[in-house]
Amino acid sequence: MPDPSTPQTLHENHGRYPQARTVADFRHNLAMVQTRIKSACHRVGRDPATVRLLPVSKTKPEECLRLAYTAGCRIFGENKVQEAQRKADALDDLADLRWSVIGHLQTNKARHVARFAHEFQALDSLRLAAALDRRLQTEGRSLDVFVQVNTSGEASKYGLSPSEVPAFLQALPAFSALQVRGLMTLARFSSNAEQVRPCFVMLRNLRDQLRQVAPNGIGLDELSMGMSGDFEMAIEEGATVVRVGQAIFGARATPDNYYWPDGAPA
Ligand SMILES: *Cc1c(COP(=O)(O)O)cnc(C)c1O
């Protein structure tokens, strides 16, 4: 078993992280990830407090989420809305627990997200923005959102192309229940740094350019990028949110291409 605390190359431990089965396992894994976050920050002179860890609990059963909660997690990221809602209902007794939906959402499922989620990281169409806003107004709620950008150029990946983002942002102030926080991306899945780093750099550059022209009220402080196998590099390039599943919960049985096309092999 490789030591997950010191990956030498990108995605080296993909599919090999041991399952967390106790609160102590979760404490250990969270500490390990925080250590990796700190060393990445130190390498580039960033304050670790500027990086938020979003634990991603997809495929993991309710009991595991309870252990992670006891170990200190207060928000979970889920890729699929039905699974997220089922878990939110099951863990309803944990009053301070919040949910972030990080996967592609069909417009006809907007009402589910509007009901229970605190954050949505995969906004990629105005139809969806309108549907979410309408449902949120009805519920009397607001929602933190990230605009998903396709930085890898892979035709099958979700998200707006970088050139579509400026006009998209101009239209968002019309949806007053959506609190725009920043941009989100999934980098190319590769062990080759030269294929991965440009995705992170592209998202940061796009954010820096758009900051000058973004409409009032559209926040672009946040950059959600990086997962278990590449979050150090994402932090080096400016990530403020890293979405980490396997390194906290353990490897998943479900292959990644169930969650995003052309994902990592099983
Ligand atoms: C599953 C998932 C992650 C986390 O991936 P890990 O390899 O488990 O860290 C990050 N972002 C999205 C959108 C995901 O679906």
Side-chain angles (χ1 to χ4, degrees):
M1 180 65 64
D3 176 0
S5 64
T6 55
Q8 299 300 303
T9 64
L10 293 167
H11 301 292
E12 179 179 82
N13 295 315
H14 192 85
R16 293 194 283 192
Y17 288 96
Q19 297 308 311
R21 300 182 198 285
T22 65
V23 175
D25 288 346
F26 278 101
R27 290 210 170 100
H28 173 84
N29 292 351
L30 288 164
M32 200 84 94
V33 170
Q34 292 294 358
T35 301
R36 288 174 57 188
I37 290 174
K38 272 193 199 118
S39 26
C41 284
H42 287 148
R43 278 201 293 282
V44 291
R46 294 188 57 193
D47 176 358
T50 62
V51 178
R52 170 161 69 100
L53 171 61
L54 174 61
V56 175
S57 51
K58 69 190 187 205
T59 77
K60 300 299 175 183
E62 178 197 326
E63 311 84 75
C64 282
L65 277 63
R66 285 190 185 274
L67 298 175
Y69 176 90
T70 305
C73 297
R74 289 297 178 271
I75 184 164
F76 291 122
E78 286 281 340
N79 189 296
K80 303 246 181 222
V81 67
Q82 297 95 323
E83 180 179 349
Q85 178 141 51
R86 178 168 53 70
K87 289 175 179 174
D89 288 344
L91 301 178
D92 196 26
D93 54 308
L94 307 177
D96 58 347
L97 182 58
R98 297 179 305 138
W99 297 91
S100 177
V101 174
I102 60 175
H104 181 73
L105 183 69
Q106 290 170 341
T107 305
N108 63 8
K109 302 207 174 103
R111 66 180 185 282
H112 301 297
V113 167
R115 208 168 287 146
F116 77 94
H118 295 84
E119 183 176 273
F120 174 58
Q121 293 207 359
L123 187 63
D124 61 359
S125 83
L126 290 178
R127 269 188 71 209
L128 180 56
L132 282 168
D133 188 64
R134 184 157 31 83
R135 293 293 181 168
L136 287 160
Q137 304 283 0
T138 310
E139 301 274 341
R141 300 185 74 230
S142 68
L143 183 68
D144 287 348
V145 297
F146 291 62
V147 175
Q148 184 170 358
V149 183
N150 179 347
T151 54
S152 68
E154 293 160 288
S156 52
K157 280 254 171 80
Y158 294 116
L160 298 172
S161 75
S163 64
E164 294 173 306
V165 180
F168 187 77
L169 290 183
Q170 295 299 324
L172 290 183
F175 309 113
S176 60
L178 302 182
Q179 311 286 316
V180 182
R181 301 296 184 198
L183 308 179
M184 177 273 221
T185 201
L186 272 162
R188 187 179 285 273
F189 189 91
S190 165
S191 57
N192 181 352
E194 285 164 39
Q195 299 209 330
V196 179
R197 194 180 291 274
C199 298
F200 298 141
V201 170
M202 186 184 289
L203 197 71
R204 185 193 62 226
N205 286 341
L206 184 64
R207 191 272 312 266
D208 291 349
Q209 288 160 21
L210 291 174
R211 260 189 170 155
Q212 328 284 330
V213 297
N216 278 342
I218 298 299
L220 287 179
D221 290 336
E222 306 289 341
L223 288 177
S224 175
M225 54 189 197
M227 46 201 261
S228 293
D230 60 14
F231 70 77
E232 285 101 332
M233 182 180 281
I235 289 170
E236 288 168 13
E237 299 302 340
T240 66
V241 180
V242 292
R243 309 178 306 267
V244 179
Q246 301 177 73
I248 296 172
F249 285 86
R252 287 179 295 272
T254 318
D256 283 357
N257 58 16
Y258 176 70
Y259 292 97
W260 58 85
D262 287 354

